């Protein structure tokens, strides 16, 4: 079936609407970062850079580490941007731009987020590099897509719902990492459920000037325990990444450089160093 001109917007030069990339520009291994300035912090370790492109907050460098072709691109902040990035990455590899039809043979990308995050457990100090076993989305993105939970995910989701109760009518969604990537790139890292928040301040329990509608947010989330899992950290993209990757048939893993401890009320004095360690670790393992 042909995808219409308004559903799939292709720029006059043949590139996809927001990312400004052509089919063929995306490597099968993709690193996503939130901050556009972090793209160069990743590609500085490439042995060669094939090209650099960008539009808005979406900066892309594709190059090689040894023989491995890698694309690093910035998503900006939030799952609204993840919606754009993941749909556009997917069509770049899985839709024929000439016929506007889905290709017969689909490509599954390996997508690794290297992002920053705040810990909500006392035993996860700043400087930790953590892999998200799951994303728990507090944002609205998955209200708009059909997505299904595995049996294990449904059990965990039921436990989470009981713990949270009716949370100001927030309708959280649960998503999981690619098992393969979690067991390879994330193999020996601390793991946990990452909460994806639709904002940075009250949606992550920060109290500055405005009054928060969900009081004691941090103690509410860090007191959840199931048999195997607990909530470890907060950020703004992981659940959307995991959910869209699964729907579209890609593998995804979120690696979090822990810059803040929300329970010890601390922020790192050397955030760049922690992010650098996470970048190097991921590049060594992919
Ligand atoms: C907020 O400051 C941003 O930092 C975190 C959050 O997920 C959000 O995007 O990740 P990045 O450093 O990867 O952007």
């Amino acid at each position: 079936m042909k995808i219409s001109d308004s559903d799939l917007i292709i720029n006059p030069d043949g590139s996809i609407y927001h990312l400004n990339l052509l089919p063929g520009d995306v490597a099968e291994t993709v690193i996503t970062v939130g901050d556009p300035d972090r793209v160069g912090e990743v590609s500085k370790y490439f042995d060669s850079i094939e090209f650099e492109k960008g539009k808005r907050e979406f900066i892309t460098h594709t190059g090689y580490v040894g023989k491995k072709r890698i694309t690093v691109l910035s998503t900006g902040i939030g799952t609204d941007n993840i919606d754009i990035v993941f749909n556009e990455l997917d069509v770049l590899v899985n839709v024929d731009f000439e016929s506007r039809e889905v290709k017969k043979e689909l490509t599954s990308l390996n997508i690794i987020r290297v992002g920053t995050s705040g810990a909500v457990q006392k035993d996860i100090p700043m400087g930790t590099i953590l892999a998200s076993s799951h994303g728990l989305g507090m944002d609205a993105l998955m209200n708009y897509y059909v997505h299904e939970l595995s049996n294990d995910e449904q059990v965990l989701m039921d436990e989470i719902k009981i713990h949270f109760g009716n949370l100001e009518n927030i309708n959280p969604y649960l998503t999981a990492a690619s098992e393969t990537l979690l067991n390879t790139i994330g193999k020996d890292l601390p793991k946990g459920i990452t909460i994806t928040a639709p904002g940075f301040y009250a949606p992550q329990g920060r109290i500055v000037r405005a009054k928060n509608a969900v009081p004691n947010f941090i103690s509410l989330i860090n007191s959840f325990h199931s048999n195997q899992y607990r909530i470890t950290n907060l950020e703004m993209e992981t659940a959307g990444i995991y959910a869209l990757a699964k729907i579209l048939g890609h593998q995804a893993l979120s690696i979090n450089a822990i810059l803040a401890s929300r329970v010890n009320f601390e922020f790192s004095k050397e955030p760049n160093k922690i992010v650098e360690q996470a970048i190097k670790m991921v590049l060594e393992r992919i």
Side-chain angles (χ1 to χ4, degrees):
M1 216 180 63
K2 197 171 163 171
I3 306 170
S4 79
D5 286 3
S6 63
D7 287 310
L8 173 62
I9 305 169
I10 299 172
N11 298 319
D13 68 354
S15 65
I16 191 68
Y17 189 47
H18 298 94
L19 299 189
N20 209 29
L21 299 174
L22 297 167
D25 280 349
V26 180
E28 290 198 9
T29 300
V30 179
I31 295 175
T32 67
V33 297
D35 182 353
D37 287 343
R38 201 177 303 144
V39 173
E41 295 302 310
V42 175
S43 69
K44 73 182 184 193
Y45 292 110
F46 289 3
D47 295 315
S48 61
I49 294 186
E50 194 181 313
F51 67 82
E52 299 180 4
K53 292 186 180 178
K55 189 176 175 185
R56 298 178 181 248
E57 60 266 64
F58 309 114
I59 306 297
T60 301
H61 296 176
T62 290
Y64 286 84
V65 173
K67 287 193 172 139
K68 193 167 191 80
R69 190 169 182 241
I70 301 174
T71 290
V72 52
L73 94 154
S74 55
T75 63
I77 291 179
T79 56
D80 46 353
N81 279 358
I82 294 302
D83 180 57
I84 290 171
V85 170
F86 273 62
N87 276 290
E88 295 195 1
L89 278 177
D90 179 70
V91 295
L92 282 164
V93 294
N94 286 328
V95 172
D96 181 330
F97 277 26
E98 292 294 317
S99 66
R100 294 181 160 271
E101 289 186 357
V102 176
K103 291 179 185 171
K104 287 208 171 60
E105 272 196 30
L106 297 179
T107 298
S108 177
L109 301 169
N110 285 327
I111 305 170
I112 301 113
R113 167 183 180 264
V114 182
T116 63
S117 180
V120 299
Q121 299 288 349
K122 277 214 178 285
D123 62 334
I124 301 181
M126 291 183 304
T128 302
I129 298 172
L130 180 143
S132 306
S133 63
H134 298 80
L136 181 63
M138 299 288 182
D139 58 305
L141 181 62
M142 294 318 290
N143 290 334
Y144 298 89
Y145 290 97
V146 176
H147 79 124
E148 284 164 9
L149 297 184
S150 68
N151 288 343
D152 286 354
E153 288 164 6
Q154 190 61 58
V155 170
L156 182 56
M157 189 65 226
D158 290 344
E159 289 180 288
I160 289 169
K161 273 189 185 154
I162 291 168
H163 180 80
F164 279 83
N166 184 17
L167 194 63
E168 296 297 326
N169 297 318
I170 298 165
N171 180 26
Y173 61 93
L174 183 71
T175 60
S178 149
E179 283 283 320
T180 314
L181 293 181
L182 193 64
N183 294 329
T184 50
I185 294 171
K187 52 187 174 187
D188 48 3
L189 301 179
K191 297 178 182 67
I193 303 170
T194 296
I195 286 200
T196 295
F200 188 75
Y201 290 95
Q204 295 186 33
R206 288 189 168 89
I207 302 163
V208 185
R209 289 228 315 125
K211 198 168 176 198
N212 291 7
V214 183
N216 307 317
F217 183 73
I218 299 296
S219 51
L220 176 69
I221 64 175
N222 70 11
S223 57
F224 170 77
H225 291 278
S226 76
N227 278 344
Q228 265 181 290
Y229 302 106
R230 61 182 181 155
I231 294 167
T232 46
N233 62 308
L234 280 158
E235 52 70 85
M236 297 177 65
E237 292 84 23
T238 297
I241 289 174
Y242 284 2
L244 284 179
K246 186 174 172 195
I247 291 171
L248 297 168
H250 304 291
Q251 306 293 315
L253 179 68
S254 174
I255 298 293
N256 303 271
I258 301 295
L259 301 189
S261 169
R262 300 298 312 286
V263 270
N264 296 332
F265 303 97
E266 297 169 322
F267 187 80
S268 173
K269 303 259 184 309
E270 42 189 27
N272 294 343
K273 198 173 142 195
I274 304 168
V275 173
E276 182 97 10
Q277 281 168 354
I279 291 170
K280 279 167 124 172
M281 190 214 71
V282 166
L283 286 173
E284 280 161 15
R285 293 179 176 197
I286 54 181

